[in-house]
Amino acid sequence: MLFNPDSYDPTHLDAESRRLLRATIEFFESRGKRRLLADALDRVWYAEFLDFVKREKLFATFNTPAAEAGGDPDKRWDAARNAALSEILGFYGLPYWYTWQVSVLGLGPIWMSENAQARRRAAELLDSGAVFAFGLSEKEHGADVYSTDMVLTPTGDGSFTATGDKYYIGNGNVAGIVSVFGRRSDVDGPEGYVFFAVDSQHERFSLVQNVVDSQMFVSEFRLEDYPVREQDILHTGPEAFSAALNTVNVGKFNLCTASIGIAEHSFYEAITHAHNRILYGKRVTEFPHVRQNFVDAYARLAAMKLFADRSVDYFRSATAEDRRYLLFNPITKMKVTSEGEQVIDLLWDVIAAKGFEKNTYFNQATAHIRALPKLEGTVHVNLALVLKFMPNYLFNPAEFAPVPTRHDASDDEFFFRQGPARGLGKIRFPDWRAVYERFAQVPNVTRFLEQADGLKTLLTTAAPDEAQQRDLDFLLNLGQLFTLVVYGQLILEQAELTGATPDLLDQVFDVLVRDFSAYAVALHGKASATEAQRAWALGSVRGPVVDADRFERVWTEVAALSGRYEMRP
């Protein structure tokens, strides 16, 4: 289940994609672990990595849609290979992933624009090795686009001057283009929104500071009477607002694969250390609680990978008529990244003080893994978004053709014509129970399905009243319960497509049964819960189906990872 740089060969991808991914691995491995960690500790700007990106045209190949590729058959926007690259970069360090991630975001409004000149310029810059930036958030407003203080003032000749600050903008120090969101001074409401292209080296662009203490440059910058010409305008009015949200739909998926990569590298370090350490005359991994931690961490990591991989298929198969990806997207951002934190915590409880040592990847992973659930809207914002889909998902199924595995070398052009960012509550889904029923032979899948069916019972017999529907604390807990049902669905779909073993699936759902029970108990403790809801909560608590032989088989799989990979020194 785990990515291993020593044996990685993504044969499901085309030859040039495989070459570039292997070249990326070799770049990091040839530098070695000591250099990787020293650069992180010393906050060394990753100029050599950006030189590699330029030399290999890595970002140009992976981030240029076919329409702007000038006939180059290897350039396309392909979510399957983008996910693979994102996982690899996360595996070696969040700063390297970050410069890629914010370039993806910065390019989103450009590729979605009808401004052919801006698109052509972006393609040229990519080809020359440039990175990009996404100028959305502000110090006082975060990503609240309704409240932007970046103001464009008309000059009378069809142009504008822009004045205002942006905060927490990655690559702001070197970006070839910064896609900046603002509003017109002379137009109120949504019609006044503007997305425009900015040159970070322009004299009217002031770089204030790097707001983090890291290799990454997460900038605060200010525009002061910055000239915005007609050819710099990317979007205006409601389309600018939609471009912001649709860019997040495309780009923020990468949060989950970064979390997976970080957790995988940490897992190798942790199991190799613990399995070869003797305490009180025993291997550390002979202690039952240690084995439980490792098996739980492995099951959670496997679930993360299964869900994320299957999500890619829905992203790549999306159309204006099939927008199910808009449910799976916030779950990748919120649930998968939060699970990454859980994995690190389980491993850290085993390796303890080792996790603080400066010569370990784990030491930096403990900080980096925390960032990912917080880099876009935080968990509660994504949970609130997920709730919009719950009625149709649970109660109003529709017919859809099966979505296949999507590893084909094709351009995901729908990403850049998603349309208006509204109507989420109208999106339909097929019967979610069907795939659960196909796995009825797996004991903990059946146990979890009992709990999932119980959620429907709660919503039909003791649904949130009007006051509770305004109580975000109550609703977010309900959102966690619903998220688990969707999470389990895609895990099973991917397991069906890839042949994941029944033992592993049973262990994954052993974890999900316990998680559902924990959220049910939390709902029971909510101050606003009714007696009927509290009774439902207690009735939904289940223990997983225990199978000692199955646990040992999964543990054997985990123990075999000891020494399987270690980064070159």
Side-chain angles (χ1 to χ4, degrees):
M1 288 297 297
L2 271 59
F3 163 72
N4 185 338
D6 293 338
S7 58
Y8 181 70
D9 183 14
T11 55
H12 59 289
L13 299 177
D14 64 279
E16 181 61 7
S17 297
R18 292 201 303 273
R19 186 194 73 77
L20 283 170
L21 293 171
R22 286 294 319 166
T24 302
I25 292 168
E26 182 57 29
F27 168 81
F28 288 108
E29 291 290 337
S30 64
R31 289 171 71 78
K33 187 174 183 178
R34 282 192 292 270
R35 176 75 180 278
L36 187 83
L37 299 179
D39 284 354
L41 288 169
D42 294 337
R43 287 81 167 167
V44 175
W45 173 247
Y46 31 73
E48 291 182 30
F49 174 64
L50 295 182
D51 287 343
F52 163 79
V53 167
K54 177 180 181 178
R55 182 172 65 251
E56 295 289 347
K57 295 188 183 296
L58 178 64
F59 292 0
T61 302
F62 278 54
N63 286 156
T64 307
E68 308 300 331
D72 186 330
D74 294 317
K75 289 182 178 178
R76 64 184 183 275
W77 197 286
D78 176 339
R81 68 177 185 176
N82 283 2
L85 177 60
S86 180
E87 182 178 352
I88 290 169
L89 295 177
F91 187 92
Y92 288 106
L94 192 69
Y96 305 99
W97 169 87
Y98 185 71
T99 193
W100 141 268
Q101 162 67 6
V102 292
S103 290
V104 168
L105 293 171
L107 287 163
I110 300 171
W111 298 145
M112 293 175 191
S113 174
E114 294 182 3
N115 184 333
Q117 184 174 340
R119 295 198 309 269
R120 186 166 55 250
R121 176 63 176 151
E124 291 169 352
L125 284 167
L126 264 178
D127 209 56
S128 70
V131 294
F132 294 76
F134 187 52
L136 185 67
S137 66
E138 300 177 9
K139 188 172 185 179
E140 300 304 322
H141 306 296
D144 177 7
V145 295
Y146 299 102
S147 304
T148 178
D149 288 332
M150 177 63 71
V151 178
L152 287 82
T153 302
T155 59
D157 60 357
S159 300
F160 301 86
T161 58
T163 298
D165 298 271
K166 291 291 180 179
Y167 193 80
Y168 229 84
I169 311 302
N171 287 347
N173 56 328
V174 295
I177 296 176
V178 186
S179 298
V180 177
F181 185 86
R183 60 180 174 85
R184 293 178 55 156
S185 63
D186 59 331
V187 179
D188 293 331
E191 294 298 330
Y193 293 141
V194 183
F195 240 125
F196 59 104
V198 165
D199 176 4
S200 68
Q201 306 308 305
H202 193 282
E203 62 181 7
R204 294 289 181 174
F205 181 103
S206 299
L207 191 64
V208 178
Q209 62 166 325
N210 184 359
V211 301
V212 299
D213 185 16
S214 170
Q215 284 182 274
M216 299 177 280
F217 203 102
V218 186
S219 67
E220 177 184 3
F221 70 78
R222 178 167 179 80
L223 303 183
E224 192 69 52
D225 293 327
Y226 183 97
V228 180
R229 304 159 300 171
E230 183 178 357
Q231 59 262 41
D232 299 322
I233 302 295
L234 302 174
H235 302 272
T236 60
E239 286 186 3
F241 180 85
S242 291
L245 297 187
N246 290 338
T247 293
V248 168
N249 292 339
V250 175
K252 293 291 187 172
F253 173 85
N254 295 330
L255 295 168
C256 77
T257 40
S259 186
I260 288 167
I262 293 170
E264 287 171 320
H265 199 153
S266 301
F267 201 103
Y268 284 120
E269 273 198 343
I271 187 63
T272 299
H273 169 72
H275 200 53
N276 293 282
R277 183 170 173 79
I278 306 299
L279 289 178
Y280 308 109
K282 292 183 177 182
R283 286 183 186 267
V284 167
T285 50
E286 289 183 54
F287 293 99
H289 69 290
V290 169
R291 290 191 175 186
Q292 185 72 57
N293 272 33
F294 271 117
V295 169
D296 278 359
Y298 186 67
R300 289 187 185 278
L301 185 47
M304 291 162 66
K305 296 200 72 169
L306 290 166
F307 182 88
D309 286 349
R310 185 57 175 152
S311 293
V312 170
D313 299 335
Y314 283 95
F315 276 59
R316 302 197 73 197
S317 299
T319 65
E321 292 72 39
D322 182 358
R323 300 201 296 159
R324 286 176 284 173
Y325 72 102
L326 292 174
L327 168 59
F328 306 138
N329 183 57
I331 293 177
T332 60
K333 292 184 293 184
M334 169 269 295
K335 179 64 176 176
V336 177
T337 57
S338 296
E339 287 294 292
E341 289 190 278
Q342 293 254 42
V343 170
I344 294 298
D345 286 343
L346 287 163
L347 299 175
W348 205 355
D349 281 348
V350 172
I351 68 170
K354 184 72 176 177
F356 293 100
E357 294 181 10
K358 66 181 180 181
N359 64 341
T360 64
Y361 174 89
F362 202 97
N363 177 50
Q364 67 179 36
T366 57
H368 290 165
I369 202 76
R370 308 293 177 211
L372 292 160
K374 302 166 182 66
L375 276 178
E376 196 283 313
T378 69
V379 169
H380 69 269
V381 170
N382 286 292
L383 273 173
L385 181 60
V386 163
L387 284 166
K388 295 177 183 292
F389 300 90
M390 186 166 66
N392 270 350
Y393 180 93
L394 291 177
F395 295 104
N396 192 19
E399 291 295 325
F400 285 90
V403 171
T405 299
R406 292 293 310 276
H407 292 155
D408 48 293
S410 57
D411 189 65
D412 297 332
E413 49 87 25
F414 176 73
F415 286 166
F416 307 111
R417 54 175 185 86
Q418 294 176 64
R422 58 175 181 264
L424 303 186
K426 296 180 180 179
I427 295 172
R428 303 280 294 281
F429 302 84
D431 180 10
W432 57 274
R433 296 187 84 260
V435 70
Y436 282 96
E437 291 172 349
R438 293 198 296 273
F439 282 87
Q441 75 279 10
V442 180
N444 279 306
V445 172
T446 297
R447 180 66 52 88
F448 182 80
L449 180 57
E450 294 174 12
Q451 294 176 305
D453 282 335
L455 180 60
K456 290 183 67 174
T457 301
L458 170 68
L459 295 173
T460 52
T461 63
D465 59 26
E466 189 174 337
Q468 288 174 324
Q469 291 178 40
R470 296 191 301 270
D471 180 353
L472 190 57
D473 180 52
F474 181 89
L475 289 178
L476 292 181
N477 197 87
L478 188 63
Q480 292 281 14
L481 291 165
F482 172 56
T483 293
L484 285 173
V485 179
V486 183
Y487 198 57
Q489 177 203 329
L490 264 61
I491 288 168
L492 292 175
E493 287 186 11
Q494 186 66 6
E496 196 168 43
L497 290 166
T498 59
T501 67
D503 281 343
L504 180 59
L505 278 181
D506 207 20
Q507 199 64 49
V508 166
F509 278 85
D510 176 298
V511 170
L512 296 189
V513 167
R514 284 182 274 145
D515 285 353
F516 194 99
S517 296
Y519 286 123
V521 170
L523 187 143
H524 179 274
K526 295 297 179 186
S528 61
T530 66
E531 287 306 313
Q533 290 162 348
R534 290 193 174 98
W536 173 88
L538 293 181
S540 295
V541 174
R542 299 280 192 282
V545 178
V546 176
D547 183 336
D549 292 336
R550 176 253 297 159
F551 181 92
E552 284 303 313
R553 289 191 295 271
V554 176
W555 162 248
T556 299
E557 189 175 334
V558 172
L561 294 171
S562 172
R564 183 74 60 83
Y565 165 78
E566 188 167 352
M567 190 174 177
R568 294 178 211 168

